[in-house]
Amino acid sequence: MKGDAYRKIGLGLGYDAELSVSDMIPWVQEAEKRGFDLVFFSETIMTLRDAVSCLSAFSISTKKIQLGCTQIVRTRTPLVMAQTFATLDELSNKRIFVSLGACTKSHCKKNGLEYVDAAESLKEYIIVIKKLLAGGEVTYDGSTIKIENSKISFKPPRSDLPLYVAATSRKGLEIAGMYGDGVLLNATTSVEYCKNAIRIVRESAEKAGRNPDSLFIAGIVVASVADNTAEAVKHARKEVATKLEPLQVDFAIRPRLRVGEPYITEELIDKLLKSYNVGGFEKLMKDIPEEVVRGFTACGTAEEVRERIEEYRKVGVQLPIVRPADKFVFKSTFDAVAPG
């Protein structure tokens, strides 16, 4: 990536069911050409395209841009994850940016996994994957991981490949501060939430005897650029609504209340769940207050969105990863935030 004085920016993909890998590749190449620092692919509970396949395609289609993704622990073993990251890092010539997320009860149900403590498994995955990437045989007897004489049988390009933590809850943020090389703040979170979350990460690092300034802070910012704010808000509603539907609300929304998210309350959550029960996703999406959509995203004209992204930077987000809200505002949003 460019020097520290450069104002880093990323492009987020992976949340559009209609955008195929072949459709994404030209945008990834254009992002590299226009000076984006990172293309990030969100592998989500919505079970859209998988990140490993996509990053492989992106790797052989580009030369210098960083390529990142989220990976939910326990959906792959620690050894398979370490092998995968090392292989992708080799394929891309050391351009991989990995962010590990907790395997929640919702993830377990979808993947047919028995639930174990999400925070503990996340912590142990970070520890074990780092040991595997460092080389040699690894034996680990933890509460969620037990392996014996496990190793990667080729030399990873980077034995110290950074592992970031995709976190929403207070506990996840604390784990990022204690064990991760940085944090990826979740999409559709407000500037105020991000400020509180970064404070929690830094305090956790200090308590663990680590230098908080050594941790890298990234965050996904859902953005919608249109000729007027009302049109921009319309296109941002769908992604905000996905976080408030029954599948996601318990792990994507409720944990934010304990961090400090001013745009949501338990009363509003209950009201919107009732909307969903009455009229499904469409009614839920319609009933979300506009101030919530605007609080959770960067919506408006190109200038308004750029100003909103600066607000995230000011509270400590070093790498805003801008994810266009939908296909109708993809190009306008891309053009608005592209460095060159």
Side-chain angles (χ1 to χ4, degrees):
M1 295 176 76
K2 304 175 181 70
D4 289 342
Y6 180 81
R7 300 177 74 74
K8 299 176 176 66
I9 193 78
L11 173 68
L13 298 169
Y15 226 77
D16 188 342
E18 296 183 23
L19 203 63
S20 71
V21 180
S22 297
D23 293 332
M24 285 185 266
I25 287 173
W27 284 111
V28 174
Q29 293 172 323
E30 184 67 11
E32 181 173 70
K33 180 181 177 181
R34 297 279 291 273
F36 282 84
D37 294 272
L38 169 77
V39 167
F40 192 87
F41 189 92
S42 296
E43 188 173 277
T44 76
I45 197 169
M46 296 168 69
T47 55
L48 299 173
R49 293 161 187 85
D50 79 283
V52 175
S53 300
C54 292
L55 290 199
S56 297
F58 300 165
S59 292
I60 62 176
S61 303
T62 58
K63 294 182 178 179
K64 61 183 180 180
I65 194 168
Q66 273 202 311
L67 304 168
C69 68
T70 43
Q71 292 280 278
I72 301 302
V73 303
R74 298 192 63 228
T75 57
R76 300 172 176 91
T77 69
L79 178 58
V80 170
M81 280 194 170
Q83 286 177 285
T84 299
F85 302 156
T87 303
L88 285 172
D89 213 35
E90 181 180 74
L91 181 64
S92 66
N93 193 22
K94 303 180 183 179
R95 291 187 283 140
I96 294 301
F97 179 111
V98 179
S99 185
L100 297 176
C103 188
T104 66
K105 290 180 180 178
S106 295
H107 289 105
C108 289
K109 288 177 182 177
K110 266 217 165 185
N111 287 278
L113 298 171
E114 182 181 351
Y115 178 74
V116 300
D117 186 270
E120 189 66 16
S121 63
L122 175 60
K123 180 190 80 175
E124 292 189 350
Y125 260 76
I126 296 168
I127 292 170
V128 171
I129 291 172
K130 280 183 173 289
K131 288 179 179 291
L132 289 165
L133 289 170
E137 292 188 344
V138 176
T139 296
Y140 187 85
D141 185 17
S143 62
T144 69
I145 298 173
K146 298 182 187 296
I147 58 173
E148 186 174 347
N149 300 329
S150 182
K151 70 174 184 177
I152 301 174
S153 297
F154 69 98
K155 185 177 180 180
R158 285 184 287 176
S159 60
D160 59 348
L161 175 70
L163 293 184
Y164 305 99
V165 177
T168 303
S169 69
R170 175 176 284 271
K171 188 64 177 178
L173 295 165
E174 290 172 349
I175 290 172
M178 289 187 285
Y179 299 100
D181 294 300
V183 67
L184 173 72
L185 301 175
N186 205 349
T188 62
T189 49
S190 69
V191 171
E192 295 86 349
Y193 166 91
C194 289
K195 181 178 180 179
N196 294 330
I198 293 167
R199 173 181 51 78
I200 291 168
V201 172
R202 291 180 61 86
E203 289 175 353
S204 176
E206 289 178 340
K207 288 179 182 177
R210 307 178 73 198
N211 178 6
D213 293 333
S214 69
L215 302 182
F216 190 70
I217 312 293
I220 299 175
V221 180
V222 175
S224 176
V225 172
D227 291 337
N228 59 76
T229 300
E231 183 71 11
V233 168
K234 182 181 78 172
H235 290 290
R237 280 188 175 278
K238 183 176 180 180
E239 183 160 349
V240 174
T242 64
K243 297 294 193 295
L244 286 156
E245 61 183 334
L247 177 64
Q248 292 219 53
V249 70
D250 282 340
F251 82 90
I253 292 293
R254 282 199 165 99
R256 303 180 192 192
L257 300 179
R258 293 184 285 275
V259 173
E261 176 55 83
Y263 290 94
I264 201 78
T265 63
E266 282 289 351
E267 291 76 18
L268 180 57
I269 291 171
D270 291 341
K271 178 181 176 181
L272 293 173
L273 287 175
K274 289 176 182 176
S275 294
Y276 183 91
N277 291 333
V278 169
F281 186 80
E282 290 299 320
K283 182 163 176 55
L284 165 64
M285 183 168 61
K286 179 182 177 182
D287 288 351
I288 298 172
E290 181 176 326
E291 67 173 9
V292 174
V293 178
R294 296 183 67 176
F296 279 2
T297 65
C299 288
T301 64
E303 185 59 31
E304 288 171 336
V305 167
R306 287 192 290 265
E307 289 175 357
R308 179 69 165 167
I309 291 168
E310 288 306 306
E311 293 179 20
Y312 284 94
R313 293 188 197 275
K314 287 177 183 177
V315 299
V317 177
Q318 296 164 284
L319 174 59
I321 301 170
V322 178
R323 188 159 75 200
D326 69 20
K327 64 181 180 181
F328 301 104
V329 295
F330 195 105
K331 187 179 187 304
S332 59
T333 303
F334 182 99
D335 287 341
V337 302

